[in-house]
Amino acid sequence: MAKNITIAVDAMGGDHAPDMVIEGIAQARTLFPGTQFLVFGDEARVQPLLDQHTDLKAASTLVHTDEVVSSDMKPSQALRKGRQSSMGLAIQAVKDGTADVAISAGNTGALMALAKFLLRTMPGIDRPALISPLPTLRGESVMLDLGANVECDSNNLVQFGIMGAAYVRTVLGLSKPTVALLNVGVEDLKGKDSIKAAADVLRASKHLPLDFAGFVEGNDIATGEVDVVVTDGFTGNVALKTAEGTARLVTDLLGRAFRSSMSTKLGYLLARHGLRSLRDHLDPNNHNGGVFLGLNGLVMKSHGSANAHGFASAVTSAIDMAQNDLIRLISEDLQRIVDDEAAAGAA
C-alpha cells in the first residue's frame, strides 16, 4: 500500500504565486487525497486561498513567513538571507524529516544553492544534477544535467546516468530504461575523452537496471529512442532552451498559417482536434517539474511561469518520487557500480 506523503510547498515562488501554487496543490490532492502539505508563505495572502478549498485546508499546515526569495536574488544572497524565506523553510522541512519532498516555482539558482547547502550530496555522488522530462515522438524522455554543472568529468556523467535511470523508473514507470550520452556522433571514436570514458563504465556494468544505448546526437533527443539523455549542464541547458524555443516556433507558425485566409481557417476547423493534441503534447505545463538529483532529500523545481495545472503536474511527480523512495534506488544503483568495478579489478 502506498504511503501518504507530506509535501513542503514554497507558496510564494513563481510568476503567479501564491494563487497558482494553492490551486495547483488543490488539483494534485484530488489525485492523491492522502497527501499532506506544509505550506510556507505570507499568511495574509495564502490563508484566504486555502479557505477556498475545504479539503486542502484540512490537509495543510500553513507556516507564516514574510520573507521571499526574489526572482533576481543571486545564489550567494539566498544563502545569506534566504534561510527563513518560504523557499528556505520548505527545504529545511525536508532536512528535518517533517516533509518528504519540497517544491518551489521560484528562483532556480537560489533553490539549487539552498538545497545543496541544507541537504548536501548523497554518498557516492560528486555533484547533484537537474533533470526534467521532455516531450518526444514516443511520449516522454528525460535529460540531465540541465544547468547545475557547466563542466563534468566522466564520473559525473556516469552518476547522472544512474540517477536519471532511477528517476525514470519511479516517475515514468519503466523497469529498465534506456540510457545514452549526448555526443557529436554515434560512433565510439567520437566525442570528448570524458564522454568516451563514461560510456566505457556504463557499457561494462552488468547489474544496473538500465540498458546503455551508447551515444545519441542532438536530433535524436526528440525521437524518444532513448529514455534518458545524459550530458553536462552547459550542453543540456542549451539543448533544453533550444527545444522549448522550437516548440513555441512550431505552434506560433501553425497559428499564423491557419489564420492567414478563409481557406486555411476552414482547414483549421477540419484539423482542430489533431492540432489541440499537438498543442497539449508540446505544452510545458504537461511536462513540468525539474528535480535536483543526488541530494540527501528531494527538491522539485517547477517552471516559474507554470499555471495551476503545470504546478499540479510537478506535485504529482514529486509524490511518485517520494512514494517509490527514489533516493534509496539511487543509492542501491551506485553500489552496483562499485561492486562491478571491484569484480572487474579482481578478475
Side-chain angles (χ1 to χ4, degrees), residues 19 26 54 94 131 137 143 158 198 214 235 237 277 280 303 346:
D19 304 64
T54 305
V94 175
I131 188 172
L137 292 176
M143 185 163 61
V158 170
T235 307
N237 190 269
S277 177
D280 291 342
H303 281 301

Side-chain angles (χ1 to χ4, degrees), residues 7-24:
I7 308 288
V9 181
D10 170 14
M12 311 308 293
D15 298 346
H16 310 293
D19 304 64
M20 171 275 294
V21 174
I22 301 305
E23 180 61 33

